[in-house]
Each structure stands twice: as C-alpha cells, then as structure tokens.
Amino acid sequence: MTLSIVSLFPICARFTLVIWFLTALVSVSCNPGVFNVKYRYPRLQGSLSALKEHDDRRQLTILAGIDLPLGGTGRPDIPGLYYAKIGIGTPAKSYYVQVDTGSDIMWVNCIQCRQCPTRSSLGIELTLYNIDESNSGKLVSCDDDFCYQISGGPLSGCKANMSCPYLEIYGDGSSTAGYFVKDVVQYDSVAGDLKTKTANGSVIFGCGARQSGDLDSSNEEALDGILGFGKANSSMISQLASSGRVKKIFAHCLDGRNGGGIFAIGRVVQPKVNMTPLVPNQPHYNVNMTAVQVGQEFLNIPADLFQPGDRKGAIIDSGTTLAYLPEIIYEPLVKMITSQEPALKVHIVDKDYKCFQYSGRVDEGFPNVTFHFENSVFLRVYPHDYLFPYEGMWCIGWQNSAMQSRDRRNMTLLGDLVLSNKLVLYDLENQLIGWTEYNCSSSIKVKDEGTGTVHLVGSHFISSALHLDTSLLLISLLLLMTLFLL
C-alpha cells in the first residue's frame, strides 16, 4: 500500500513487505477515464493519539521502502481514507478499493477467501470477485512474462500450470495473499468538460484468497481491496504509462475545508504549477529541501540535514495526517510559534500534542511557516493549517520525528497538514513534483496528449451502493486517464 496523501486507516498503518509485485497493464481503453472516490472516516473517532498511532505505523512502512494509501481531508483532527468505486469483470460488478499512491499492486478479495470481510460499516456493499462469473477473467500462470518480471526470475516451486501467487505482509500483523488474474476493469471516461461515459481496460491484479489482521472479517470499515498508484514501475500509473497510451503524470488536490478534491492523470495546464526535482533512486516522493522559514526569520539548520537518505531528507506524503520534522527543526519552530503570544499556557494532550487556549484569530496571531526547495519552489503553511481546534483549545499539528524512534529522528515527512488545499502535481516523466495553492472544490484543466484537447475536470459527489447517513462527508476524486492516440 502507500506512503500517505491520513487514518490511513486500519489497512494502511502497516509496515509492508511486498514479495511479489503486480507488473503489467495488458491493455487500456483509448478514452480518458475517471474513478469516483469517497472519503472514509468522516468524523473523528477516538483520541488524538489514534492519529499518531496511524502515522507511526505508516512511517515504519516508509523506512521499509513501501508507501501507504492515499487519503485525508487535510484536517489534523480527523484520520481519513479515500476509496474508489470501479467495475471488474464481464458483466461488470462494483468494487470499492482504497486509492493508494505508494503501493504497487491492485488486488481485491476473492470468492475463495474464508477470512475476508463481507460487511462494512461504511455503507457500501462488499463484493467477492469470482473469476468463474466473468466471461473476460483469466488466470495468470507462473510461466507468464509478468510473473517472471515481478519475481526477478522463476519462482521456486511455481510451475507453468500453476497460478502466479502474490503475498504482502504488514508490520501490524496484517497480510494479504492470493494469485494474479487478468480481467476487464471498468471506470468512467471523460467525454467532455465535467462529463463522463463508461470505459474499460484489461489489467492484471491480485485475487485475495487469504487475509489476516486489519484486512480480515474483523475490520468494520472494510473495503474490497487496494488500487495501487505508487512510484515504482509496477504501480498503476506506471503500468498505464508502459502501455504507451498515458503520460506518467498525475495530480491530486485535497480539500481540507469541505472534504474531497480532485485526483487526475494527465498534464495539468491550469493552474500553473512550479516544479522541483524528485531525488533520484529513492522509493518515495523525496525532494531537496533547502530552508525553513517562520514568519520572516529563517531557522539556522545544518545543511547536511537536508541531504536525502533512508533516515533523512524530505518526503511528500499525502497519506500521512500530520507533518513530522527533525528535532533540530521542530524545537525552534514550535518555540517561535508559541512565543508570538507570551501569555499562552501550553498543555500536552495525548502525550504528543502541544495545545493552548486562544480566543483571537490564529492567522493574525501566529506566523506562516514556509518550506523552501530546489528551483526556488516553496510551500507555505498558514496557521489555520498547522493549528486545529480540539476540545476548546488549539493544538499544534507539527510533530517531532525524533520522538517516533531513533531511526526517524532526521526524517522530514510532509503530510496532509501541509498538502491540503494545494494542487500537487507528480511528473514522473521528468522526475519532478510541484504544487500551488488552489481551491480543491473547483475545477482544473487537463490536456489530452493525443488530441490536444483541454478537458475541465472537477470534484463531484457520488451516491453510495447503500444509503448513507446524509451527515457523512462524501467526496469524489477524479482519476483522468489522458491517453495517446494509437
């Protein structure tokens, strides 16, 4: 699963070891496509410590070189998860899958599974995939080229007449195992400005036959599976690009005010985005950070702290709820923030959160925090982003990465706390990433590389398979597939 654009979630908070990877997209439709995505965890559940527990488990995954699912509303007091509704098979059946920007495999629970959940408190109807009920479904054998590629050669004990297996083990004890299949995946395609029609493509994905931990039937907020969208060659975006019909470029915009946002594949032409290089040879979306500014003052930070590596450097992660800074940054930053109001009485809440009472407007009483990156790109975080209300107080969303473990003491991890209300563009074609402040409940313009047409793509709501409480926040992230002409 991914690094992550929040809870991410019972499934996501785990340290992932991928033994066999999903590799090749067999074919896709020529039409741009859209996945409608909803927001899970619309209300705060439990204490603030639950957020830290999620992020802690996620950071174990980051250190291991695997990301966790995409999600989050940008509100540091609410863990979240985005999930999409897609169709699989012929005739197509509906499946709800977790949208994951870091993992490199798509899988759904299968009919053979005995530990898979069959009910969900999210108000959705879960479906177990049955290859025998699909006219287009096929098993992927051990002698298939894709099976060789993901395992780096022949799998021991896996013969030509056997199905190619997969296994993922997570640090919290959860795991998923099964075999690969090939079938048609159905989604909405872009038919014009804010218009869609049905399209489909044939893909290879995992068929989950055994689940454990938070993936099994004990998980109340269960989903049908995972839709991987990570950086590696085996991720969904890489597979689409390898088919020669889609640019390896995507963007997301998480609406921290209303919930929801946009997730689009394709070249965004409006708004304009300033880009900074991705650090090469890193498994995550690592960037070169050069300075940290609080108000008008720059922090005095050793230059080597920003050098990339397994235990340091800056990672952009839309799946992490908060933002984690090395102690050498965290301590002076928080001190400068709280010193703006000398009368503040800071309290520690849930062991890790520094909170205080304040009756004024936070944007007027506290400074902006600005991160600077290579190519003169900066990311500005406002007080209303890094401060959030909780039980009559304001709490600081910044966290000390040194408090997580010694391994993570130099890690800079920028999650939804700083990414919400910004359009974030991932250009893997040129190994660049960038962002700009934006109203994520509005629309963006994406160029069709084949026709040159510019399409208007916006956030919208979708109905649920079952009736949901209307007070829940439903959102829709668009995945626009801009394809080349054959």
Side-chain angles (χ1 to χ4, degrees):
M1 318 240 333
T2 61
L3 186 129
S4 308
I5 238 180
V6 335
S7 144
L8 271 169
F9 341 169
I11 343 188
C12 338
R14 49 240 175 183
F15 164 46
T16 307
L17 169 64
V18 178
I19 299 181
W20 290 293
F21 288 97
L22 176 64
T23 110
L25 176 72
V26 178
S27 65
V28 294
S29 165
C30 280
N31 297 323
V34 173
F35 292 120
N36 291 320
V37 184
K38 292 191 216 172
Y39 168 57
R40 178 180 177 187
Y41 304 114
R43 297 189 182 92
L44 177 63
Q45 301 292 333
S47 67
L48 292 178
S49 60
L51 299 179
K52 285 294 302 305
E53 290 173 2
H54 149 62
D55 285 348
D56 288 349
R57 293 191 298 267
R58 178 169 188 81
Q59 288 168 34
L60 290 173
T61 301
I62 293 170
L63 294 176
I66 301 296
D67 278 344
L68 291 183
L70 165 69
T73 61
R75 291 182 55 188
D77 59 331
I78 297 181
L81 167 67
Y82 290 104
Y83 57 97
K85 180 182 179 181
I86 60 174
I88 301 178
T90 306
K93 292 185 177 182
S94 295
Y95 298 83
Y96 292 86
V97 290
Q98 185 174 335
V99 179
D100 185 344
T101 56
S103 67
D104 306 312
I105 182 175
M106 171 183 165
W107 61 268
V108 294
N109 293 321
C110 282
I111 193 67
Q112 294 90 347
C113 186
R114 294 295 178 264
Q115 295 83 30
C116 289
T118 57
R119 297 179 181 179
S120 175
S121 63
L122 298 175
I124 60 177
E125 184 176 351
L126 299 180
T127 303
L128 295 175
Y129 175 78
N130 187 350
I131 193 171
D132 293 333
E133 294 181 353
S134 174
N135 296 328
S136 51
K138 299 178 181 179
L139 295 173
V140 176
S141 64
C142 288
D143 62 348
D144 191 286
D145 287 342
F146 127 88
C147 199
Y148 283 113
Q149 292 173 19
I150 58 175
S151 58
L155 290 172
S156 177
C158 194
K159 300 179 181 179
N161 61 347
M162 299 173 60
S163 297
C164 183
Y166 83 89
L167 171 66
E168 291 194 24
I169 304 172
Y170 305 99
D172 65 350
S174 300
S175 67
T176 174
Y179 52 93
F180 285 106
V181 299
K182 172 185 173 184
D183 207 340
V184 171
V185 174
Q186 187 179 90
Y187 51 87
D188 292 335
S189 67
V190 174
D193 288 350
L194 304 178
K195 297 180 181 179
T196 62
K197 63 180 180 181
T198 300
N200 60 66
S202 183
V203 299
I204 296 175
F205 57 91
C207 190
R210 187 180 72 250
Q211 314 292 18
S212 69
D214 284 341
L215 294 175
D216 65 18
S217 57
S218 65
N219 181 18
E220 294 183 358
E221 290 110 359
L223 295 170
D224 290 315
I226 300 296
L227 176 62
F229 239 81
K231 184 180 178 183
N233 291 335
S234 53
S235 72
M236 181 61 71
I237 182 65
S238 298
Q239 295 171 52
L240 292 173
S242 68
S243 70
R245 299 179 183 179
V246 61
K247 285 290 186 180
K248 204 172 180 180
I249 304 172
F250 68 97
H252 62 69
C253 196
L254 301 179
D255 191 339
R257 300 181 181 91
N258 306 310
I262 303 169
F263 193 106
I265 301 177
R267 190 177 302 280
V268 177
V269 296
Q270 185 177 333
K272 298 295 183 182
V273 178
N274 296 321
M275 309 294 286
T276 188
L278 286 169
V279 178
N281 304 318
Q282 295 293 320
H284 309 294
Y285 296 108
N286 292 61
V287 290
N288 294 303
M289 192 164 70
T290 58
V292 179
Q293 182 182 0
V294 183
Q296 301 300 316
E297 185 174 348
F298 284 85
L299 299 183
N300 185 16
I301 303 170
D304 64 350
L305 183 66
F306 297 129
Q307 295 176 358
D310 290 340
R311 300 296 186 268
K312 55 184 179 179
I315 299 174
I316 303 298
D317 176 20
S318 64
T320 292
T321 308
L322 305 172
Y324 295 80
L325 305 171
E327 188 167 9
I328 197 170
I329 297 177
Y330 171 81
E331 292 294 350
L333 183 147
V334 171
K335 183 177 180 180
M336 292 178 68
I337 289 174
T338 56
S339 65
Q340 303 294 313
E341 300 289 338
L344 288 182
K345 294 183 179 180
V346 179
H347 306 278
I348 303 299
V349 177
D350 281 358
K351 299 181 181 180
D352 295 299
Y353 292 85
K354 293 185 176 181
C355 303
F356 53 83
Q357 291 186 337
Y358 183 72
S359 59
R361 296 173 60 89
V362 294
D363 282 341
E364 296 175 357
F366 300 93
N368 299 332
V369 175
T370 306
F371 297 93
H372 294 262
F373 302 88
E374 189 176 345
N375 283 359
S376 300
V377 173
F378 64 88
L379 193 159
R380 180 169 292 123
V381 188
Y382 298 96
H384 66 259
D385 291 322
Y386 67 75
L387 295 174
F388 61 94
Y390 183 73
E391 296 185 351
M393 297 179 292
W394 288 97
C395 294
I396 299 174
W398 305 115
Q399 294 293 306
N400 186 350
S401 59
M403 298 299 292
Q404 311 309 304
S405 75
R406 290 185 177 181
D407 287 341
R408 287 171 273 175
R409 63 176 177 268
N410 290 321
M411 177 185 291
T412 300
L413 181 60
L414 304 179
D416 285 340
L417 179 139
V418 303
L419 298 180
S420 61
N421 307 314
K422 296 174 180 67
L423 178 72
V424 183
L425 176 60
Y426 303 75
D427 184 351
L428 300 181
E429 297 277 334
N430 299 298
Q431 289 297 296
L432 299 170
I433 189 172
W435 46 79
T436 186
E437 294 180 15
Y438 201 63
N439 177 4
C440 297
S441 63
S442 61
S443 302
I444 63 174
K445 292 183 178 180
V446 181
K447 182 180 180 180
D448 185 315
E449 299 289 346
T451 65
T453 304
V454 175
H455 296 293
L456 194 64
V457 178
S459 176
H460 63 275
F461 291 81
I462 59 175
S463 59
S464 181
L466 298 177
H467 177 72
L468 291 180
D469 184 338
T470 57
S471 66
L472 299 184
L473 298 178
L474 300 181
I475 67 94
S476 178
L477 294 181
L478 288 174
L479 294 180
L480 170 64
M481 299 181 181
T482 305
L483 308 177
F484 289 118
L485 291 177
L486 289 175

